[in-house]
Amino acid sequence: MIIYDNDQTAVKLILQLSGSVFPKALFPAITAAVMTFGLGFEKVSSSWIPLEIQHPFSVQIFAIILGYVIVFRTNMALGRYREGMTNIQQMISKWGDAFVEIGSFITVSMEKAKDKNQVDLLEELRRRLIHWFTLLSAVAMISLNDGEVDLDQSFIIQRMRSSAASSKGLTIDRISSSRQSFVLEPVGPTDLPTMKLPIIGRCTDAEKSALADRNDKVLVVAGWITEEITRACLDGLLLIPEPILSRCYQELSNGMLGYNQAFKVALVPFPFPFAQMVALLLVVFLLILPMMVLRMTQSAVLSPILSFFCLLGYWGLNEIAVELENPFGDDDNDLPLKHVHTAFVDAVRDCAEGLPTESSSTVEDGPPLEGVSREMTVLKEELERLGVPVSRHFPMNSDIRMLAKMSKNEMRNKFKSAEVASRMHRRVGQLVRGDEIPPPVFIPPPPAL
């Protein structure tokens, strides 16, 4: 795809040859101008120009019909181009959503795991999914480009290793701090040669054997991902309810729908009879245009110029349609599949490396909050004395007047304790009324019998 500055001057825009259709339309336009110039040396009554042509009405009708047909073809070609772009965006977006969802499910399951072996299995699961998601996108892009997938030559491999800093706190007693992150190291050149795409992790011999001689490699890799997620669910590794986990399957399916819709555009060309008829009409127009322009203008100088630009416009619009009809490939005006895939790999890397640790989300470890009211500080201290977990505390930026509108039942549902709900409901009322709050009285537990 050509990235250009639309605010540049018209002269620079016209003179840019990269991605331009001018070179393809220039030869027919010059041919028409030369024919007009050659006919201009003869007299108007020469046998080269039929005397019966006294009015350009018939040629005008022909030119109008040809112009309508070319514009119609260009409009359909632009529709195919936009459809391809939309489907590619849907494919990458939905696969990205599926990866984010399953990645978050794995992270939460690692936090709730009860032994280190389960954490290691979940980490290995995430490694495989990172590799397969990037492989899925790469195989899809190469297939859309009508290329042959070579698992040894088609990819730029990026290594994947666990971050040592993130695994220091991994202990059996503190599994909740076991969120793993990955440092992905690029291997090989960073530039992108023709459809040599980056993936994370090398393809194993088993993967190469499984993908060999497969017609739909994209569907095969998607099947691997689905099977691996299903196996992890049935083995009890993913501690996520099945209805919620099914969202991953749905997003994978939506991504496959986008791929197949894009593949439809790449597989089905523009109708041949339409393209054939347009080509014939353009050739006929090239032959009759010089005679009609010369007959109507009767100028040896102006006639070649008019013929040149008329045919340049008609032929150029048709070449634009030809460029846009197949939006996939390596031409200058094709969709940037390599860059879209590279952005997807970068997004996967960001998600894998950017997992927060538990300490970064704990309120006590951060700086004191600004603008916290005295009432909320009192409520926080009271909840801490009652032994209420931090996750059930009121947000520190809450409005005490809004908390006063909560009923005892709502507080009971929040704190999971009728006694705590009763005390907090009474304390919130005191704070709203501005009553003096007596210091808490420590009541020792009764002696053991």
Side-chain angles (χ1 to χ4, degrees):
M1 175 178 286
I2 300 298
I3 304 299
Y4 67 97
D5 184 9
N6 199 28
D7 295 332
Q8 62 184 332
T9 62
V11 176
K12 291 183 179 180
L13 197 62
I14 293 173
L15 295 180
Q16 179 174 334
L17 295 180
S18 177
S20 175
V21 297
F22 286 159
K24 296 180 180 179
L26 198 60
F27 177 75
I30 293 176
T31 302
V34 171
M35 291 175 59
T36 306
F37 184 77
L39 292 175
F41 282 102
E42 300 289 339
K43 294 181 180 180
V44 177
S45 60
S46 173
S47 59
W48 286 97
I49 304 177
L51 294 176
E52 291 80 4
I53 302 179
Q54 298 295 333
H55 196 278
F57 178 75
S58 59
V59 179
Q60 287 177 350
I61 295 298
F62 179 83
I64 291 173
I65 294 176
L66 177 60
Y68 176 79
V69 171
I70 292 177
V71 170
F72 185 68
R73 180 183 186 180
T74 305
N75 186 52
M76 289 193 296
L78 184 59
R80 288 170 58 89
Y81 189 87
R82 288 178 174 174
E83 183 181 0
M85 178 176 57
T86 301
N87 292 324
I88 288 295
Q89 184 63 32
Q90 176 186 352
M91 177 186 75
I92 292 298
S93 173
K94 294 304 178 182
W95 285 345
D97 292 343
F99 176 77
V100 169
E101 290 173 1
I102 189 61
S104 63
F105 295 160
I106 292 174
T107 299
V108 174
S109 298
M110 292 172 69
E111 293 177 353
K112 303 299 182 181
K114 297 180 180 179
D115 57 77
K116 188 177 184 301
N117 181 55
Q118 188 174 357
V119 173
D120 293 339
L121 291 176
L122 287 169
E123 181 181 355
E124 182 61 28
L125 171 63
R126 181 156 57 192
R127 284 173 169 270
R128 286 196 297 270
L129 291 179
I130 288 174
H131 169 63
W132 283 344
F133 267 100
T134 56
L135 179 63
L136 177 66
S137 174
V139 172
M141 296 302 182
I142 296 177
S143 299
L144 290 174
N145 198 40
D146 197 22
E148 184 65 26
V149 179
D150 187 346
L151 297 182
D152 294 320
Q153 303 295 331
S154 298
F155 307 121
I156 301 174
I157 307 301
Q158 294 183 340
R159 287 196 300 265
M160 177 174 57
R161 62 182 177 84
S162 294
S163 173
S166 64
S167 58
K168 286 182 178 179
L170 181 60
T171 61
I172 301 299
D173 299 329
R174 192 63 175 171
I175 296 297
S176 60
S177 63
S178 64
R179 296 188 178 186
Q180 301 293 308
S181 64
F182 300 102
V183 177
L184 308 177
E185 300 177 339
V187 178
T190 56
D191 58 329
L192 297 177
T194 303
M195 293 314 289
K196 191 169 185 180
L197 304 177
I199 62 172
I200 299 176
R202 296 185 181 277
C203 295
T204 63
D205 293 336
E207 292 172 353
K208 296 176 183 178
S209 176
L211 286 179
D213 301 327
R214 294 296 191 273
N215 293 327
D216 196 342
K217 294 180 174 60
V218 179
L219 188 62
V220 173
V221 178
W224 294 349
I225 296 174
T226 304
E227 181 181 347
E228 195 68 17
I229 295 174
T230 304
R231 183 179 292 109
C233 179
L234 295 179
D235 291 344
L237 290 178
L238 294 177
L239 307 178
I240 303 296
E242 287 81 358
I244 299 178
L245 186 62
S246 66
R247 289 297 303 167
C248 293
Y249 301 129
Q250 183 65 41
E251 298 300 344
L252 272 173
S253 177
N254 291 336
M256 286 299 300
L257 176 62
Y259 164 74
N260 285 290
Q261 293 288 356
F263 190 74
K264 174 192 68 177
V265 177
L267 181 65
V268 181
F270 191 81
F272 169 75
F274 201 121
Q276 183 187 45
M277 182 58 65
V278 172
L280 175 62
L281 295 179
L282 281 173
V283 172
V284 173
F285 189 66
L286 170 63
L287 297 177
I288 66 175
L289 178 65
M291 293 185 295
M292 294 309 304
V293 171
L294 190 59
R295 167 71 73 178
M296 295 301 109
T297 60
Q298 298 185 3
S299 172
V301 178
L302 184 60
S303 297
I305 297 176
L306 291 177
S307 297
F308 175 83
F309 284 105
C310 285
L311 201 69
L312 183 69
Y314 276 84
W315 210 285
L317 284 176
N318 185 65
E319 289 297 334
I320 291 175
V322 173
E323 284 283 325
L324 299 181
E325 283 169 0
N326 185 12
F328 307 116
D330 297 324
D331 296 335
D332 291 333
N333 293 305
D334 290 333
L335 293 175
L337 299 184
K338 292 181 286 188
H339 298 285
V340 172
H341 169 74
T342 304
F344 176 76
V345 174
D346 291 340
V348 170
R349 176 168 48 245
D350 292 342
C351 292
E353 293 178 349
L355 296 174
T357 60
E358 185 184 65
S359 60
S360 64
S361 61
T362 304
V363 175
E364 288 78 6
D365 293 339
L369 297 175
E370 298 181 359
V372 177
S373 63
R374 183 184 68 87
E375 292 82 0
M376 294 308 303
T377 303
V378 172
L379 292 179
K380 178 177 180 297
E381 294 173 353
E382 180 72 14
L383 290 171
E384 289 176 348
R385 283 193 294 268
L386 294 174
V388 178
V390 177
S391 59
R392 299 189 185 277
H393 285 196
F394 294 118
M396 295 302 292
N397 59 349
S398 300
D399 188 347
I400 190 65
R401 291 169 296 182
M402 298 301 297
L403 298 181
K405 297 180 180 180
M406 295 180 64
S407 63
K408 287 186 179 181
N409 289 333
E410 292 174 336
M411 289 193 177
R412 185 183 300 112
N413 293 332
K414 177 177 179 59
F415 298 114
K416 307 300 181 183
S417 171
E419 181 182 358
V420 174
S422 178
R423 296 188 62 173
M424 295 310 300
H425 188 269
R426 183 173 62 254
R427 185 55 56 89
V428 169
Q430 293 174 347
L431 292 173
V432 171
R433 292 190 301 270
D435 298 343
E436 289 295 330
I437 304 174
V441 179
F442 176 73
I443 302 176
L449 298 177

